Amino acid sequence: MAISKHHVSTELRAEAEAIHDRCVVLDAHVDIVIPSTSAGMLGADGESLATPDNLRAGGVGAAVMCAAAGWAPRTKDFDASGRAMADEKLAAALDMIAAHPDTLALATSASEVADAQASGRTAILLGFQNARALEGDINVLDVLFDVGVRVFALIHMGHNDYCDSSRPIFDKRTNSFEAEEEHGGLTTLGRNAIIRVNDLGGVVDVSQMSKAATLQTIELSTAPVMATHSNVRALSDVTRNLSDEEIDRIGQTGGVVCVSGFGPSLVDASAPATRAAVIEVRKRFGLTESYSYPYELYWELADQKEQLAFQMEIMGVIGAGSVADMVRHVDYLVGRIGIDGVGIGNDFNHGGGRIGGLLDASQSVNLTIALLKAGYTSANIAKIWGDNFLRVLEACATNE
């Protein structure tokens, strides 16, 4: 159930809003919107779920806007299109900042985030996801860093030339998924990319890597790593979520796992009856019985109406998720790696949000209310919402 003012005492809401006023509320992963962004990922008004107005209304003081390139076949032409998409998204984010000089500021460090907050502006950090857009040249990482990118993820859906993905791609030509692993984790190119990000002072993001690639990255990196939009596999058995072993190693090395507001990776759909119901819906829509998460391959359906109908039926089976589910994942992580190892990365504009209590960034205070109800102190909520991320950002920047 969504949290509304009718279900929350005036005192509790005021306490949550006061926390937002005095600490850095930082969302570690928001996809950048461009004209080609699917309307299904956006709000009912066709706009970003994290517009400047939404961020301000939700008391969000900082956000990592990510230039993500989706999957494509591994050819020079498609890699070039991936680079063009990343460049277009970065330009869109920079243009947005330039268009709102009184309310937004580009930030590349923890101190610049603090400066933005002191001036009453929302700090926008930049991220990058899917190294296929590097076109096989890790020197492009330097170019991205110079533009302002500070968070770097090598992979998205489907394996690439840098590492294996936690989400093997479905190949329509063979009517099957690619192998669960192609490289056994990182490739030489991927290892060199991790080393370069370390040398630059950027943050390595292990989100959506395979388990082997994640563990190898943690061992290779000379600075703490982050998973900017990942949840707990023990609570929601989808392949993009993190195993206990991955979570433990991230925590042991000073890193942070940022809980995502992506409903399908929050809810528990592992019960046999639920799995059977999901498979029945998938079969009826002509999709594979196997899946890495229940909605997988909805994009292969013929038109948007059919895609929406499928998604609504699946949601009816597994539920939409809620801020209470996010707190459940936070609780698990805190119990496993401590309060210093947890953050928030909602994945707005790429499936995140649109859950009970958190339809978009304007409702971010509802997560804080849920954390307060769960017994978290204001100091611990400050760590979860931003301080832990900023600590890792600083540690990476000063990495020797």
Side-chain angles (χ1 to χ4, degrees), residues 25-334:
V25 173
L26 186 152
D27 190 326
H29 190 87
V30 174
D31 266 45
I32 298 167
V33 172
I34 56 176
S36 62
T37 300
S38 170
M41 298 294 180
L42 305 176
D45 58 1
E47 298 294 326
S48 166
L49 298 176
T51 62
D53 287 344
N54 282 348
L55 293 170
R56 182 166 288 272
V60 180
V64 180
M65 299 287 184
C66 184
W71 177 86
R74 277 180 267 173
T75 67
K76 287 185 178 181
D77 287 345
F78 279 114
D79 285 354
S81 70
R83 173 70 184 279
M85 175 176 285
D87 287 346
E88 181 183 3
K89 288 184 175 182
L90 290 172
L94 293 170
D95 287 346
M96 180 184 69
I97 295 167
H100 298 85
D102 295 333
T103 57
L104 301 179
L106 177 66
T108 61
S109 66
S111 63
E112 288 180 356
V113 170
D115 290 344
Q117 185 162 36
S119 67
R121 295 180 292 172
T122 303
I124 303 298
L125 299 99
L126 297 178
F128 167 80
Q129 185 171 14
N130 202 342
R132 78 173 183 87
L134 302 179
E135 299 183 86
D137 181 6
I138 65 168
N139 292 314
V140 175
L141 293 168
D142 298 59
V143 176
L144 294 170
F145 190 87
D146 289 343
V147 169
V149 174
R150 290 297 180 270
V151 182
F152 298 84
L154 296 188
I155 197 70
H156 197 263
M157 182 171 60
H159 310 318
N160 63 22
D161 292 334
Y162 294 78
C163 68
D164 292 328
S165 172
S166 59
R167 301 168 62 193
I169 197 71
F170 182 78
D171 189 338
K172 288 189 290 186
R173 296 169 299 181
T174 61
N175 200 40
S176 63
F177 287 90
E178 62 185 348
E180 186 173 331
E181 284 192 317
E182 178 181 337
H183 310 296
L186 292 172
T187 66
T188 298
L189 194 59
R191 289 178 178 276
N192 289 338
I194 298 299
I195 292 168
R196 180 63 62 85
V197 172
N198 283 163
D199 289 346
L200 288 168
V203 177
V204 175
D205 181 1
V206 298
S207 298
Q208 305 205 38
M209 280 182 167
S210 70
K211 179 178 179 179
T214 296
L215 294 174
Q216 290 165 17
T217 296
I218 295 167
E219 296 310 309
L220 176 63
S221 179
T222 56
V225 306
M226 265 196 256
T228 65
H229 55 296
S230 299
N231 293 329
V232 177
R233 190 157 186 180
L235 299 181
S236 180
D237 188 16
V238 299
T239 61
R240 65 179 273 175
N241 282 349
L242 296 171
S243 67
D244 287 350
E245 185 178 2
E246 292 166 280
I247 291 166
D248 291 348
R249 290 301 295 136
I250 290 171
Q252 289 161 5
T253 53
V256 172
V257 177
C258 298
V259 171
S260 167
F262 181 58
S265 70
L266 283 171
V267 299
D268 180 8
S270 61
T274 304
R275 287 188 181 277
V278 168
I279 289 172
E280 182 58 36
V281 174
R282 294 180 64 85
K283 286 167 61 178
R284 188 149 34 83
F285 279 84
L287 298 178
T288 62
E289 294 185 29
S290 60
Y291 55 87
S292 65
Y293 77 108
Y295 294 94
E296 189 169 45
L297 300 184
Y298 75 85
W299 53 85
E300 299 289 353
L301 297 174
D303 57 52
Q304 288 192 348
K305 284 187 177 180
E306 190 177 15
Q307 292 174 13
L308 180 60
F310 169 73
Q311 291 177 80
M312 293 304 293
E313 286 206 36
I314 292 292
M315 187 182 296
V317 172
I318 68 172
S322 68
V323 291
D325 289 308
M326 293 185 73
V327 172
R328 195 163 54 90
H329 286 255
V330 168
D331 286 344
Y332 187 96
L333 291 166
V334 170

Side-chain angles (χ1 to χ4, degrees), residues 330-351:
V330 168
D331 286 344
Y332 187 96
L333 291 166
V334 170
R336 195 150 193 107
I337 59 176
I339 194 73
D340 293 335
V342 187
I344 302 295
N346 279 305
D347 204 8
F348 287 133
N349 304 325
H350 204 266

